[in-house]
Amino acid sequence: SEILAIQGIVTLHDTNQLGTDWSRSTTFVAQMQAEPDNLHPTNGSSAQRSEFFVYLHRFLVTNSHGNGIEPDLLETLPQVDADNKTYHYRLKKGITWDDGKPLTAADVLFTCKVNLASLTNNPAFHAYWSKLEAFIPNPKDPLAFDVVMKEPHVQNVSFFSGFPILQKTHFDPGDLLAKYSIKDLTQPKTSKELEVWFQAFNQDALGRDPKLISGLGEYAVQDWKPGECILLKRKNQINGSPAQILFRFAKDENTIALDLKNQVYDAAGNLSMTAFLQLAADHQFTKNYHCALSPTFNYSYLCFNTKPDSNRSPLFVDARVRTAIAHLIPVDQIISMIYQSFRGQAKRMASNVSPYKKECDSTLKPLDCNRDEAVKLLAVAGWQDHNHDGTIDHGDISMNAELLYLNTSPDWSDMAAMIVQEMAKVGITIKAVAVDQSVFLDKARNHQFDMLLGSFGGTSSAEDYSQLWSTTSWLNHGSNYSGFGNTRTDSLIQKINTELNEQSRFKLSHQLQQEIYREQPMIFLYSSLRRTIVHKRWGNIRLFPDRPGMDISSFRLISGQ
């Protein structure tokens, strides 16, 4: 039952041997390690939100199945003018909201307005949405509209893939925003009535109260028990399809494994590799479950705070120090510990681009584990144990650092322990601290850390380096956690984003990767493999490299049940 996919989409074969003790329930029970911070349509930061949005919402275009950008609410992908900035869209006919009202271009315009508005509490996405110049409805066709972008960009076609389309009359029944243009809403100074409206729109209830959560997706939120579960119910029943999807939040692997053996769950994902392999080796277990390993565009990293404020010591402002630490991290041992006999499939990374992607600069090689080289680099940078207390120092600063990591899996704590152990051998004292996802993100975006051990989720789309690597994303508390960059690299990112010729763009991308490699603001560890367990009572199962990795709504109960 163990399946290893090297690339692409994995199809799990339907079983023809039905278990006599298999449930006949049409509720699909999925284990999820972390709870979303909310399900607000525009405001939120947790990755789990996107997994729910697949079922609750629909998008103009989608990339969730890894086949490239495809139309979802559109008849076709947009037509583009010769300026590579003006895009012509037309919605599919006959799509209606839950109250029976038709989807129109007015809903798309409303979606653009609330995402762009300065009063919307979504600062991490403001830079992204600022790329939109104008939205032009077609006065003769309520389904047609044009979008003008500020400049040609490699992701203009995929621009709407990550943002659900919202119903204007549900969120703005008084049609207040119709009085304001997009330009009006992006101004820092706004009217009192807008402040009142957005105060209501930003309220947490819009992302927590099932009665207020609304979307075009096949499912609606039926119930949310904080810390326990979220229940989704299919709006229109389809024979054999999951009538409900119950996401249960659980972290303890012993409990999860026991529940899986008792067939409590229909699916579990991202267990530690040790737990996954133990279950996959159990013949009785694999009679009931598929156990699949599949590639992703995600990667794990060790991030440095290269621009600490006055409250934190300037431990990692020197690239030589960061490079030295890169020589200390036993990445091969970490991969072997995590992936064991499948360690050869977890590709090491040298740059910020997944090795599965064409734009990865394959000439860059991961730095080898070399303690002598690390000690030499540290000494050249002025870091030695001058006072003989066992910890290296520079002037009046000792190399005492805090390493934050996620508490969502034993894999993280094991990795942190190995890093702490290796760095102690050269006099670097590390305190590893496990935190939950909300604390991790808050400290990362507000630059309140020394080092972070985490992961980024990638996609199959062409890379837009702005969010992770532009200096604006550091200043605006975005996802450039390290503080990497300068005017030169910002200019390079701008050129990459606007270069539509693939080969020319790849050359520019390689230049940026080489600069990041020289600076080592992050140590890129490995490209992650997704561990998926799915009950065999379900068929039509496909696994995708892009998040969330599978589409439960497309599963069907095996015939004969």
Side-chain angles (χ1 to χ4, degrees):
S1 295
E2 267 180 39
I3 300 173
L4 179 65
I6 302 305
Q7 59 186 2
I9 296 173
V10 182
T11 299
L12 305 184
H13 296 295
D14 294 356
T15 186
N16 55 13
Q17 295 181 334
L18 308 185
T20 57
D21 60 344
W22 288 0
S23 171
R24 297 175 181 269
S25 172
T26 55
T27 296
F28 190 100
V29 183
Q31 175 265 335
M32 182 176 278
Q33 286 182 323
E35 187 172 14
D37 56 346
N38 63 56
L39 295 177
H40 194 285
T42 61
N43 308 347
S45 56
S46 66
Q48 287 74 25
R49 295 171 72 251
S50 64
E51 297 194 28
F52 284 94
F53 281 10
V54 169
Y55 306 106
L56 300 177
H57 296 285
R58 291 185 66 181
F59 307 81
L60 292 187
V61 295
T62 181
N63 194 34
S64 61
H65 293 175
N67 292 319
I69 298 300
E70 299 174 333
D72 181 12
L73 295 174
L74 301 174
E75 289 183 337
T76 64
L77 290 178
Q79 300 298 307
V80 58
D81 284 354
D83 63 2
N84 286 312
K85 294 191 296 184
T86 304
Y87 293 78
H88 307 283
Y89 291 82
R90 193 171 194 280
L91 298 167
K92 292 176 182 176
K93 295 179 180 178
I95 297 177
T96 58
W97 297 96
D98 292 346
D99 59 8
K101 294 177 180 176
L103 169 72
T104 69
D107 297 305
V108 184
L109 174 56
F110 173 78
T111 301
C112 294
K113 284 183 174 181
V114 293
N115 277 286
L116 274 160
S118 61
L119 291 173
T120 302
N121 188 22
N122 62 340
F125 299 110
H126 281 170
Y128 183 88
W129 276 93
S130 67
K131 300 170 186 174
L132 190 148
E133 177 71 26
F135 184 101
I136 307 171
N138 186 325
K140 298 180 180 179
D141 185 350
L143 299 180
F145 58 94
D146 295 342
V147 170
V148 182
M149 308 302 288
K150 289 184 177 176
E151 59 188 2
H153 194 285
V154 66
Q155 289 194 347
N156 278 352
V157 175
S158 63
F159 181 81
F160 289 100
S161 63
F163 299 93
I165 300 304
L166 309 181
Q167 185 180 13
K168 178 173 75 74
T169 55
H170 173 82
F171 291 98
D172 189 16
D175 208 17
L176 175 68
L177 296 197
K179 295 165 52 178
Y180 297 88
S181 68
I182 286 177
K183 184 177 181 180
D184 293 334
L185 292 168
T186 57
Q187 300 304 308
K189 291 185 178 181
T190 54
S191 68
K192 183 63 177 179
E193 66 176 357
L194 277 178
E195 291 177 5
V196 172
W197 190 94
F198 277 98
Q199 185 177 17
F201 179 76
N202 287 324
Q203 65 177 311
D204 194 53
L206 259 65
R208 287 196 169 270
D209 186 343
K211 297 184 183 66
L212 301 178
I213 298 172
S214 175
L216 274 173
E218 294 177 297
Y219 291 80
V221 179
Q222 182 76 8
D223 191 23
W224 187 343
K225 293 182 172 63
E228 184 180 336
C229 65
I230 295 178
L231 178 64
L232 308 184
K233 183 177 181 179
R234 182 179 275 280
K235 298 173 183 177
N236 299 304
Q237 299 303 315
I238 298 176
N239 187 37
S241 178
Q244 297 184 122
I245 305 175
L246 178 63
F247 290 93
R248 292 179 54 179
F249 311 123
K251 293 181 182 179
D252 184 78
E253 292 204 328
N254 293 327
T255 302
I256 295 168
L258 181 61
D259 284 343
L260 281 166
K261 290 179 179 179
N262 290 326
Q263 301 183 63
V264 171
Y265 292 113
D266 288 298
N270 290 321
L271 291 173
S272 69
M273 196 65 183
T274 298
F276 175 87
L277 292 179
Q278 286 175 348
L279 291 170
D282 184 336
H283 180 65
Q284 287 299 117
F285 181 78
T286 55
K287 285 182 179 180
N288 300 322
Y289 287 92
H290 298 285
C291 296
L293 285 172
S294 56
T296 72
F297 299 110
N298 307 338
Y299 59 84
S300 298
Y301 63 80
L302 180 69
C303 174
F304 302 101
N305 186 341
T306 69
K307 295 179 180 177
D309 59 25
S310 59
N311 295 321
R312 311 199 75 83
S313 297
L315 302 175
F316 306 116
V317 296
D318 191 326
R320 293 171 297 184
V321 173
R322 302 192 295 268
T323 302
I325 293 175
H327 281 297
L328 294 172
I329 306 303
V331 182
D332 289 333
Q333 292 181 44
I334 288 174
I335 293 174
S336 294
M337 176 188 67
I338 300 295
Y339 289 107
Q340 302 180 36
S341 58
F342 292 96
R343 56 188 176 274
Q345 305 304 333
K347 295 181 180 295
R348 279 202 65 176
M349 294 185 60
S351 81
N352 54 307
V353 179
S354 166
Y356 290 111
K357 301 189 74 166
K358 292 188 296 183
E359 57 200 284
C360 176
D361 185 351
S362 59
T363 66
L364 299 176
K365 303 302 178 185
L367 297 178
D368 62 332
C369 198
N370 187 329
R371 194 184 307 163
D372 291 339
E373 180 66 16
V375 170
K376 183 172 71 173
L377 283 170
L378 289 168
V380 170
W383 288 91
Q384 293 179 294
D385 187 7
H386 298 96
N387 57 10
H388 307 291
D389 66 351
T391 300
I392 61 174
D393 53 80
H394 187 293
D396 59 353
I397 302 172
S398 293
M399 184 64 83
N400 289 289
E402 185 179 71
L403 171 63
L404 299 182
Y405 67 92
L406 292 166
N407 63 4
T408 52
S409 169
D411 287 346
W412 291 117
S413 60
D414 292 342
M415 290 168 64
M418 291 184 70
I419 291 169
V420 169
Q421 182 179 19
E422 289 303 313
M423 293 176 71
K425 293 175 181 178
V426 299
I428 299 175
T429 301
I430 303 295
K431 179 183 179 182
V433 180
V435 295
D436 63 29
Q437 184 169 259
S438 61
V439 173
F440 184 95
L441 290 171
D442 180 69
K443 287 184 175 292
R445 287 177 170 154
N446 289 295
H447 320 145
Q448 298 302 308
F449 70 93
D450 297 320
M451 291 191 295
L452 298 172
L453 182 62
S455 64
F456 278 128
T459 73
S460 55
S461 297
E463 294 280 347
D464 178 349
Y465 299 101
S466 304
Q467 185 177 3
L468 298 186
W469 301 106
S470 74
T471 57
T472 301
S473 187
W474 163 266
L475 294 171
N476 294 340
H477 303 281
S479 299
N480 180 359
Y481 303 151
S482 71
F484 167 85
N486 50 48
T487 56
R488 182 167 47 81
T489 57
D490 282 350
S491 175
L492 183 55
I493 290 171
Q494 177 73 4
K495 290 177 182 177
I496 294 168
N497 288 341
T498 57
E499 177 54 70
L500 302 184
N501 177 274
E502 186 176 85
Q503 292 306 314
S504 297
R505 187 171 72 252
F506 286 0
K507 289 180 180 178
L508 293 169
S509 176
H510 288 182
Q511 292 179 33
L512 180 65
Q513 292 173 60
Q514 290 159 16
E515 182 66 17
I516 293 171
Y517 183 83
R518 283 190 292 271
E519 288 295 314
Q520 293 289 316
M522 285 186 180
I523 301 170
F524 305 98
L525 303 177
Y526 57 85
S527 179
S528 308
L529 295 173
R530 183 175 286 120
R531 287 88 82 180
T532 303
I533 295 172
V534 186
H535 201 289
K536 291 181 177 179
R537 74 189 188 96
W538 298 96
N540 195 40
I541 300 169
R542 294 194 302 164
L543 307 178
F544 314 106
D546 282 287
R547 195 181 182 97
M550 61 184 180
D551 179 6
I552 296 171
S553 67
S554 67
F555 294 178
R556 298 292 181 266
L557 280 170
I558 296 294
S559 60
Q561 295 196 65

